[in-house]
Amino acid sequence: MPTSVLWAVDLFGRVYTLSTAGQYWEPCRDTQLEFKRVTALRQCCWGIAADNQVYVYVCASDVPIRRREETYENQRWNPVGSFCEKLLPSDRWPWSDVSGLQHQPLDGVALPSPHWEWESDWYVDENFGGEPTEKGGWTYAIDFPATYTRDKKWNSCVRRRKWIRYRRYKSRDTWAKIPSKDDPKQLPDPFNDLSVGGWEITDEPVGRLSVWAVSLQGKVWYREDVSYSNPEGSCWSLVDTPGETVQISCGPHDLLWATLWEGQALVREGISRHNPKGSSWSTVEPPMAENGIMHVSVGVSVVWAVTKDRKVWFRRGVNSHNPCGTSWIEMVGEMVMVNVGLNDQVWGIACEDRAMYFRQGVTPSELSGKTWKAIVAGRECDRSHSGSSSSLLSAGCFFGDEVRGSAESSAPSDTDASSEVDRPGPDQPHPADCLDSTGGCKGSPVLGPGPGRPTARAEEKASQAEGTGGEPRPQLVSTLAELPWTNIDLKEPRRVPGHSIPGLPEPPGLSSLGLLPLGLEEPYSTDDHPLWAWVSGGGCAVEAHTALKWFSAQSGLSPAVQTLAPPVTPAQTAAWRKQIFQQLTERTKRELENFRHYEQAVEQSVWVKTGALQWWCDWKPHKWVDVRVALEQFTGHDGVRDSILFIYYVVNEEKKYIHLFLNEVTVLVPVLNEAKHSFALYTPERTRQRWPARLAAATEQEMNDWLALLSLSCCESRRVHGRPSTQAIWSVTCKGDIFVSEPSLDLEAPERPLPCDQMFWRQMGGHLRVVEASSRGVVWGLGYDHTAWVYTGGYGGGCFQGLASSTSNIYTQSDVKCVYIYENQRWNPVTGYTSRGLPTDRYMWSDASGLQERTKASTKPPSPQWTWVSDWYVDFSAPGGTDQEGWQYASDFPASYHGYKTMKAFVRRRCWARKCKLVTSGPWLEVAPIALGDVSIIPESPDAKGSIALWAISDKGDVLCRLGVSELNPAGSSWLHVGTDQPFTCVSVGACHQVWAVARDGSAFYRGSVSPSQPAGDCWYHIPSPPKQRLKQVSVGQTSVYALDENGNLWYRQGITPSYPQGSSWEHVSNNVCKVSVGPLDQVWVIANKVQGSHSLSRGTVCHRTGVQPHEPTGQAWDYGIGGGWDHISVRANATGAPSSGCQETSTPLEEAGSGPVRC
């Protein structure tokens, strides 16, 4: 990432910059001026100097800033002199601007300020519309104004040509005073504050800036025509305010806040491309009435403020569509000012020590950040001195006399010197009166007296040690470790001589180093770090992965000191580590104690994710509109998290928004198709309306990110985590997405059951067509390619990663499906079958219904997740049969198709198929090797023992029984084939091991004598279908059996008893049903084909049959739940109530029945 700089002003008015790749503050090149404050962006920096004048500092670049000046020379044809400058009184000026209204001769165009220079002289533009003109550059027209052409015609009475001259901005890398061409009576007062932003306003021309200023009288001014190509702008315009303004802040987008003398904040609304100055002000009250807002700073979607008591506040819920935000949150720390820069990063200046701090942990998902961290980067002028202190720290001279060597010393002088180096004795002379052996110390810049600064001289003690005449001591390191080295850039010279070490030559200049015991917390002394007055991060881009060098003292030994550094012994290293640990512990306790009375900002607030999506408008004209969305999540003291999703849109040039509380959202459904990466959000109210909130992203990855984040937030709001319970209700959408819901205890209550539109559904990873669950935790699923999958106990996968997914039991999953289109033809007496149909016919290439046109070239996979894995081929397995070429014949569209041609076969169609593949991940493992078309697991009680009964139908119609299925082995061990006379399509096993199935011809069968000891039973009993109906599905519960025919009619089997489990007759319950699932409590859930809501009609809706009781097994009414787009549901694991009694094993039910079905 390119480097960028942070701008700051110290208390002396000097301007510094700090690069994101650097480690030193560098003074601004133009140091002649003193500034009060600055506001920066990447290309330039604006500032208010001590003379209250506004200056701009434009950074140097290889690309110059150039502006083109142009003027037009106008002439009219005269019969006497041809074209000349003698124009009619009603004509434009002979030299004018493009409109002809402004008189603009060549010598009348002047440079706007001394900061510009001409690149060249005036010249004629001989290009017109991208094509060259005749020599001279003239263009002709009938009159002024008119359409000009290059060619001269007989009626060309006027002509003009364009003169061009370029000017270049020359004041780069220097402060340029902003000129003023305003009327002296309208000139603004001296400015008090300044802010620049607005370079990312929606649809804003590239390079345009918004510069706002506040005068000493509290008026707000706006600088017109400021851009990258015109850094000075043109003039100041006054913007009315409801009160006297103190300070102002402008963000990169259309966010603008200001503070009033009374302590309130003003928010500018209506800022747009066409109105960059906005239209109106709104007032925001301060966090505390007794302490008004003193300073405010805004970013893209954040607002930080400092009140008069120096408290720092974060404004929640702020963005361009809701610039006022929602509420204030107090943050830790006391600051003089704060500044929000690029990427909403935050800097602040502390009120006590005037040190600069950076807010760490600011991310798009957590805009309030986590903690303040001091910036301890040194100044460029201190670079020569920094090595003397920091290098000795790394050499072991860190803790002064507190760290000792392991060897004992026999010379008392060393002990005395080390003990008195930090505290002066009462009888010690002033250090300025002494001279050491290497030279005088009167000119040495050392520390003066002050808190924590040594004023004692240790040279006398050291000289006494030299005069003992003893042998050189071997442990020289202990003496060096006692030297508290520090920086020499000090204000009041005070000499603290250093030790003279026997046996080692004293390096030159060593005695000039001042001595200061450095603590671990303060690598710089009070006089060393700059005292800051202002900071601006508008030109500083700090990303999450950016490695900054701002937060640690610089290390590196100077050559003179390196010669002094003897080796460090392991004993000293251990002692230093112990000392460091003790000081860190003390500092931690001290800092926590000082901030104990503050509220924990991280526990209360918030992270916000914003983005640009599209939203399906809820009213006419129904269409996709561009919106801004913001997900705001906050955490209370009790640890409960809640989230709100804001959708900001513009209607009739008015900004509005809707919000959704995520604790009310019942399901998030991806709606992938060829055109949009969209998803839908349902609430109970929108479920009843059949009108979800639909959002679309630009890319699939962006949609997955939003989907995963919103899903995780919904789960956190409802405290739903981890894998689903064994009682969960499973469902699958028509897109193959898997959803699960945790049933409440009153879901199946006889009286006042929980409405199923309030059920919360969360998405599981994977992709399936059918899912079947049992209350003992065994879950199976089938893909579109008939592959069987078993649930592994995890959750997440696919687009759900990180916290939304388990770390184990997630595996790669693939699925293959076919896309079908139909080739349609009509018979013609002349040419036979042809693709030219009647005007009322369907498309000649269409879908199955004939309502949508589908050609081979235009047909795409169902969604971007799918990829083609084959070419188009003729499908000969179409229902009704085909001829050798795959054609099906009928009398007309639409009709019953058959595979042979007759005298009345006036139309025909042929099915084309193409395979596509999807690869994802989820908590599913493949069960090989047989492909399955249907599966059913026994809906027994959770406390049941033994193996779990599982039946299935292969893709070829074979009936199979799975052996060895248990909680520990959900995949089972082997298949047991159950013979049939014809292919079957559906099977269902009840709670008492009663097995029902549907054959391919639509008839029903009952398997007799099925028990745990005889899992495959003994024979099939044919059950007659409802009159004139062909069944396609059956579902068996505790005692109830429901069947579904091909026309969507739902039937209940009457007369089922333990002695006669086949029942006696079919009772019609409802129509308009696609799928049915009967649970272990005989509860009935279906997928309805069409459900009318208050706003729309939905297809594929989850419905619950209410009023189901033993004396009324068919229930009373339907309760409509989530939908549409659902394709499958399984409630066979929901055994939250006590199972009914009377279930017993019967080996020969027909012998106890007086009459029964025909046995096959």
Side-chain angles (χ1 to χ4, degrees), residues 1078-1101:
V1078 182
L1081 305 179
D1082 286 335
Q1083 66 267 41
V1084 181
W1085 291 67
V1086 302
I1087 302 295
N1089 185 26
K1090 299 177 182 178
V1091 172
Q1092 181 66 49
S1094 59
H1095 282 63
S1096 176
L1097 177 72
S1098 67
R1099 299 177 181 272
T1101 302

PDB file of all heavy atoms in Angstrom, residues 1078-1101:
ATOM      1  N   VAL A1078     -45.339 -35.707   8.674  1.00  0.00           N
ATOM      2  CA  VAL A1078     -46.061 -36.026   9.901  1.00  0.00           C
ATOM      3  C   VAL A1078     -45.038 -36.418  10.954  1.00  0.00           C
ATOM      4  O   VAL A1078     -44.169 -37.259  10.705  1.00  0.00           O
ATOM      5  CB  VAL A1078     -47.072 -37.149   9.677  1.00  0.00           C
ATOM      6  CG1 VAL A1078     -47.854 -37.435  10.954  1.00  0.00           C
ATOM      7  CG2 VAL A1078     -48.022 -36.782   8.537  1.00  0.00           C
ATOM      8  N   GLY A1079     -45.148 -35.804  12.150  1.00  0.00           N
ATOM      9  CA  GLY A1079     -44.164 -36.001  13.197  1.00  0.00           C
ATOM     10  C   GLY A1079     -44.544 -37.089  14.174  1.00  0.00           C
ATOM     11  O   GLY A1079     -45.590 -37.742  14.065  1.00  0.00           O
ATOM     12  N   PRO A1080     -43.696 -37.304  15.181  1.00  0.00           N
ATOM     13  CA  PRO A1080     -43.943 -38.362  16.175  1.00  0.00           C
ATOM     14  C   PRO A1080     -45.133 -38.091  17.067  1.00  0.00           C
ATOM     15  O   PRO A1080     -45.618 -38.996  17.738  1.00  0.00           O
ATOM     16  CB  PRO A1080     -42.643 -38.392  16.982  1.00  0.00           C
ATOM     17  CG  PRO A1080     -42.035 -37.044  16.786  1.00  0.00           C
ATOM     18  CD  PRO A1080     -42.423 -36.611  15.417  1.00  0.00           C
ATOM     19  N   LEU A1081     -45.629 -36.848  17.098  1.00  0.00           N
ATOM     20  CA  LEU A1081     -46.833 -36.524  17.856  1.00  0.00           C
ATOM     21  C   LEU A1081     -48.049 -36.439  16.950  1.00  0.00           C
ATOM     22  O   LEU A1081     -49.072 -35.892  17.355  1.00  0.00           O
ATOM     23  CB  LEU A1081     -46.639 -35.200  18.599  1.00  0.00           C
ATOM     24  CG  LEU A1081     -45.417 -35.087  19.518  1.00  0.00           C
ATOM     25  CD1 LEU A1081     -45.356 -33.724  20.162  1.00  0.00           C
ATOM     26  CD2 LEU A1081     -45.455 -36.188  20.567  1.00  0.00           C
ATOM     27  N   ASP A1082     -47.907 -36.964  15.738  1.00  0.00           N
ATOM     28  CA  ASP A1082     -48.954 -36.885  14.720  1.00  0.00           C
ATOM     29  C   ASP A1082     -49.224 -35.452  14.280  1.00  0.00           C
ATOM     30  O   ASP A1082     -50.291 -35.160  13.709  1.00  0.00           O
ATOM     31  CB  ASP A1082     -50.255 -37.542  15.183  1.00  0.00           C
ATOM     32  CG  ASP A1082     -50.172 -39.055  15.184  1.00  0.00           C
ATOM     33  OD1 ASP A1082     -49.348 -39.605  14.411  1.00  0.00           O
ATOM     34  OD2 ASP A1082     -50.903 -39.691  15.958  1.00  0.00           O
ATOM     35  N   GLN A1083     -48.289 -34.540  14.557  1.00  0.00           N
ATOM     36  CA  GLN A1083     -48.430 -33.178  14.055  1.00  0.00           C
ATOM     37  C   GLN A1083     -48.212 -33.178  12.546  1.00  0.00           C
ATOM     38  O   GLN A1083     -47.428 -33.966  12.017  1.00  0.00           O
ATOM     39  CB  GLN A1083     -47.453 -32.222  14.751  1.00  0.00           C
ATOM     40  CG  GLN A1083     -45.983 -32.476  14.468  1.00  0.00           C
ATOM     41  CD  GLN A1083     -45.327 -33.389  15.488  1.00  0.00           C
ATOM     42  OE1 GLN A1083     -45.927 -34.373  15.905  1.00  0.00           O
ATOM     43  NE2 GLN A1083     -44.111 -33.061  15.885  1.00  0.00           N
ATOM     44  N   VAL A1084     -48.897 -32.292  11.866  1.00  0.00           N
ATOM     45  CA  VAL A1084     -48.894 -32.258  10.410  1.00  0.00           C
ATOM     46  C   VAL A1084     -48.368 -30.904   9.943  1.00  0.00           C
ATOM     47  O   VAL A1084     -48.898 -29.855  10.325  1.00  0.00           O
ATOM     48  CB  VAL A1084     -50.309 -32.504   9.838  1.00  0.00           C
ATOM     49  CG1 VAL A1084     -50.284 -32.485   8.323  1.00  0.00           C
ATOM     50  CG2 VAL A1084     -50.881 -33.813  10.364  1.00  0.00           C
ATOM     51  N   TRP A1085     -47.345 -30.966   9.137  1.00  0.00           N
ATOM     52  CA  TRP A1085     -46.771 -29.785   8.504  1.00  0.00           C
ATOM     53  C   TRP A1085     -46.696 -30.044   7.010  1.00  0.00           C
ATOM     54  O   TRP A1085     -46.405 -31.163   6.578  1.00  0.00           O
ATOM     55  CB  TRP A1085     -45.380 -29.481   9.048  1.00  0.00           C
ATOM     56  CG  TRP A1085     -45.375 -29.022  10.477  1.00  0.00           C
ATOM     57  CD1 TRP A1085     -45.711 -29.759  11.577  1.00  0.00           C
ATOM     58  CD2 TRP A1085     -45.021 -27.726  10.956  1.00  0.00           C
ATOM     59  NE1 TRP A1085     -45.596 -29.027  12.717  1.00  0.00           N
ATOM     60  CE2 TRP A1085     -45.164 -27.758  12.369  1.00  0.00           C
ATOM     61  CE3 TRP A1085     -44.598 -26.557  10.353  1.00  0.00           C
ATOM     62  CZ2 TRP A1085     -44.892 -26.654  13.167  1.00  0.00           C
ATOM     63  CZ3 TRP A1085     -44.318 -25.447  11.142  1.00  0.00           C
ATOM     64  CH2 TRP A1085     -44.465 -25.501  12.534  1.00  0.00           C
ATOM     65  N   VAL A1086     -46.964 -29.004   6.233  1.00  0.00           N
ATOM     66  CA  VAL A1086     -46.942 -29.161   4.782  1.00  0.00           C
ATOM     67  C   VAL A1086     -46.225 -27.977   4.153  1.00  0.00           C
ATOM     68  O   VAL A1086     -45.985 -26.946   4.785  1.00  0.00           O
ATOM     69  CB  VAL A1086     -48.379 -29.263   4.206  1.00  0.00           C
ATOM     70  CG1 VAL A1086     -49.132 -30.426   4.810  1.00  0.00           C
ATOM     71  CG2 VAL A1086     -49.128 -27.949   4.398  1.00  0.00           C
ATOM     72  N   ILE A1087     -45.878 -28.161   2.887  1.00  0.00           N
ATOM     73  CA  ILE A1087     -45.433 -27.063   2.028  1.00  0.00           C
ATOM     74  C   ILE A1087     -46.581 -26.761   1.094  1.00  0.00           C
ATOM     75  O   ILE A1087     -46.955 -27.596   0.259  1.00  0.00           O
ATOM     76  CB  ILE A1087     -44.169 -27.433   1.237  1.00  0.00           C
ATOM     77  CG1 ILE A1087     -43.038 -27.814   2.182  1.00  0.00           C
ATOM     78  CG2 ILE A1087     -43.749 -26.278   0.341  1.00  0.00           C
ATOM     79  CD1 ILE A1087     -42.540 -26.701   3.066  1.00  0.00           C
ATOM     80  N   ALA A1088     -47.171 -25.582   1.257  1.00  0.00           N
ATOM     81  CA  ALA A1088     -48.311 -25.190   0.432  1.00  0.00           C
ATOM     82  C   ALA A1088     -47.816 -24.565  -0.868  1.00  0.00           C
ATOM     83  O   ALA A1088     -46.799 -23.872  -0.902  1.00  0.00           O
ATOM     84  CB  ALA A1088     -49.199 -24.204   1.181  1.00  0.00           C
ATOM     85  N   ASN A1089     -48.558 -24.815  -1.927  1.00  0.00           N
ATOM     86  CA  ASN A1089     -48.166 -24.324  -3.236  1.00  0.00           C
ATOM     87  C   ASN A1089     -48.391 -22.827  -3.357  1.00  0.00           C
ATOM     88  O   ASN A1089     -47.512 -22.083  -3.791  1.00  0.00           O
ATOM     89  CB  ASN A1089     -48.934 -25.064  -4.327  1.00  0.00           C
ATOM     90  CG  ASN A1089     -48.470 -24.678  -5.720  1.00  0.00           C
ATOM     91  OD1 ASN A1089     -47.333 -24.266  -5.896  1.00  0.00           O
ATOM     92  ND2 ASN A1089     -49.356 -24.799  -6.691  1.00  0.00           N
ATOM     93  N   LYS A1090     -49.575 -22.370  -2.981  1.00  0.00           N
ATOM     94  CA  LYS A1090     -49.914 -20.960  -3.100  1.00  0.00           C
ATOM     95  C   LYS A1090     -50.563 -20.495  -1.802  1.00  0.00           C
ATOM     96  O   LYS A1090     -51.527 -21.100  -1.349  1.00  0.00           O
ATOM     97  CB  LYS A1090     -50.871 -20.717  -4.268  1.00  0.00           C
ATOM     98  CG  LYS A1090     -50.313 -21.102  -5.634  1.00  0.00           C
ATOM     99  CD  LYS A1090     -51.353 -20.885  -6.719  1.00  0.00           C
ATOM    100  CE  LYS A1090     -50.818 -21.319  -8.075  1.00  0.00           C
ATOM    101  NZ  LYS A1090     -51.834 -21.159  -9.147  1.00  0.00           N
ATOM    102  N   VAL A1091     -50.011 -19.434  -1.238  1.00  0.00           N
ATOM    103  CA  VAL A1091     -50.585 -18.826  -0.038  1.00  0.00           C
ATOM    104  C   VAL A1091     -50.701 -17.340  -0.293  1.00  0.00           C
ATOM    105  O   VAL A1091     -49.713 -16.673  -0.625  1.00  0.00           O
ATOM    106  CB  VAL A1091     -49.711 -19.093   1.205  1.00  0.00           C
ATOM    107  CG1 VAL A1091     -50.223 -18.294   2.397  1.00  0.00           C
ATOM    108  CG2 VAL A1091     -49.711 -20.576   1.532  1.00  0.00           C
ATOM    109  N   GLN A1092     -51.894 -16.817  -0.140  1.00  0.00           N
ATOM    110  CA  GLN A1092     -52.131 -15.409  -0.391  1.00  0.00           C
ATOM    111  C   GLN A1092     -51.869 -14.608   0.868  1.00  0.00           C
ATOM    112  O   GLN A1092     -52.450 -14.872   1.923  1.00  0.00           O
ATOM    113  CB  GLN A1092     -53.574 -15.182  -0.866  1.00  0.00           C
ATOM    114  CG  GLN A1092     -53.900 -13.732  -1.178  1.00  0.00           C
ATOM    115  CD  GLN A1092     -53.107 -13.211  -2.365  1.00  0.00           C
ATOM    116  OE1 GLN A1092     -53.051 -13.848  -3.406  1.00  0.00           O
ATOM    117  NE2 GLN A1092     -52.486 -12.050  -2.200  1.00  0.00           N
ATOM    118  N   GLY A1093     -50.981 -13.630   0.769  1.00  0.00           N
ATOM    119  CA  GLY A1093     -50.744 -12.705   1.855  1.00  0.00           C
ATOM    120  C   GLY A1093     -51.417 -11.386   1.590  1.00  0.00           C
ATOM    121  O   GLY A1093     -52.107 -11.200   0.584  1.00  0.00           O
ATOM    122  N   SER A1094     -51.216 -10.453   2.511  1.00  0.00           N
ATOM    123  CA  SER A1094     -51.844  -9.148   2.336  1.00  0.00           C
ATOM    124  C   SER A1094     -51.203  -8.340   1.220  1.00  0.00           C
ATOM    125  O   SER A1094     -51.803  -7.411   0.712  1.00  0.00           O
ATOM    126  CB  SER A1094     -51.759  -8.364   3.656  1.00  0.00           C
ATOM    127  OG  SER A1094     -50.402  -8.195   4.051  1.00  0.00           O
ATOM    128  N   HIS A1095     -49.965  -8.691   0.839  1.00  0.00           N
ATOM    129  CA  HIS A1095     -49.278  -7.936  -0.203  1.00  0.00           C
ATOM    130  C   HIS A1095     -48.964  -8.769  -1.431  1.00  0.00           C
ATOM    131  O   HIS A1095     -48.836  -8.231  -2.520  1.00  0.00           O
ATOM    132  CB  HIS A1095     -47.965  -7.357   0.335  1.00  0.00           C
ATOM    133  CG  HIS A1095     -48.150  -6.142   1.174  1.00  0.00           C
ATOM    134  ND1 HIS A1095     -48.850  -6.168   2.355  1.00  0.00           N
ATOM    135  CD2 HIS A1095     -47.739  -4.852   0.998  1.00  0.00           C
ATOM    136  CE1 HIS A1095     -48.851  -4.964   2.885  1.00  0.00           C
ATOM    137  NE2 HIS A1095     -48.198  -4.139   2.081  1.00  0.00           N
ATOM    138  N   SER A1096     -48.819 -10.078  -1.258  1.00  0.00           N
ATOM    139  CA  SER A1096     -48.348 -10.862  -2.386  1.00  0.00           C
ATOM    140  C   SER A1096     -48.769 -12.309  -2.211  1.00  0.00           C
ATOM    141  O   SER A1096     -49.206 -12.738  -1.141  1.00  0.00           O
ATOM    142  CB  SER A1096     -46.824 -10.754  -2.506  1.00  0.00           C
ATOM    143  OG  SER A1096     -46.329 -11.576  -3.530  1.00  0.00           O
ATOM    144  N   LEU A1097     -48.586 -13.061  -3.289  1.00  0.00           N
ATOM    145  CA  LEU A1097     -48.853 -14.491  -3.306  1.00  0.00           C
ATOM    146  C   LEU A1097     -47.524 -15.229  -3.289  1.00  0.00           C
ATOM    147  O   LEU A1097     -46.627 -14.919  -4.073  1.00  0.00           O
ATOM    148  CB  LEU A1097     -49.640 -14.869  -4.564  1.00  0.00           C
ATOM    149  CG  LEU A1097     -49.933 -16.363  -4.768  1.00  0.00           C
ATOM    150  CD1 LEU A1097     -50.982 -16.838  -3.765  1.00  0.00           C
ATOM    151  CD2 LEU A1097     -50.412 -16.612  -6.194  1.00  0.00           C
ATOM    152  N   SER A1098     -47.387 -16.175  -2.380  1.00  0.00           N
ATOM    153  CA  SER A1098     -46.127 -16.908  -2.272  1.00  0.00           C
ATOM    154  C   SER A1098     -46.350 -18.368  -2.633  1.00  0.00           C
ATOM    155  O   SER A1098     -47.394 -18.945  -2.350  1.00  0.00           O
ATOM    156  CB  SER A1098     -45.562 -16.801  -0.855  1.00  0.00           C
ATOM    157  OG  SER A1098     -46.401 -17.471   0.072  1.00  0.00           O
ATOM    158  N   ARG A1099     -45.353 -18.943  -3.245  1.00  0.00           N
ATOM    159  CA  ARG A1099     -45.359 -20.350  -3.609  1.00  0.00           C
ATOM    160  C   ARG A1099     -44.288 -21.059  -2.788  1.00  0.00           C
ATOM    161  O   ARG A1099     -43.163 -20.603  -2.712  1.00  0.00           O
ATOM    162  CB  ARG A1099     -45.078 -20.522  -5.096  1.00  0.00           C
ATOM    163  CG  ARG A1099     -46.101 -19.846  -6.001  1.00  0.00           C
ATOM    164  CD  ARG A1099     -45.726 -19.989  -7.468  1.00  0.00           C
ATOM    165  NE  ARG A1099     -46.676 -19.319  -8.334  1.00  0.00           N
ATOM    166  CZ  ARG A1099     -47.779 -19.879  -8.814  1.00  0.00           C
ATOM    167  NH1 ARG A1099     -48.059 -21.150  -8.530  1.00  0.00           N
ATOM    168  NH2 ARG A1099     -48.593 -19.202  -9.598  1.00  0.00           N
ATOM    169  N   GLY A1100     -44.664 -22.176  -2.202  1.00  0.00           N
ATOM    170  CA  GLY A1100     -43.733 -22.903  -1.370  1.00  0.00           C
ATOM    171  C   GLY A1100     -43.677 -22.356   0.036  1.00  0.00           C
ATOM    172  O   GLY A1100     -42.655 -21.829   0.475  1.00  0.00           O
ATOM    173  N   THR A1101     -44.797 -22.453   0.773  1.00  0.00           N
ATOM    174  CA  THR A1101     -44.914 -21.874   2.110  1.00  0.00           C
ATOM    175  C   THR A1101     -45.055 -22.979   3.142  1.00  0.00           C
ATOM    176  O   THR A1101     -45.808 -23.943   2.958  1.00  0.00           O
ATOM    177  CB  THR A1101     -46.127 -20.940   2.185  1.00  0.00           C
ATOM    178  OG1 THR A1101     -45.991 -19.924   1.193  1.00  0.00           O
ATOM    179  CG2 THR A1101     -46.251 -20.308   3.553  1.00  0.00           C
TER     180      THR A1101
END
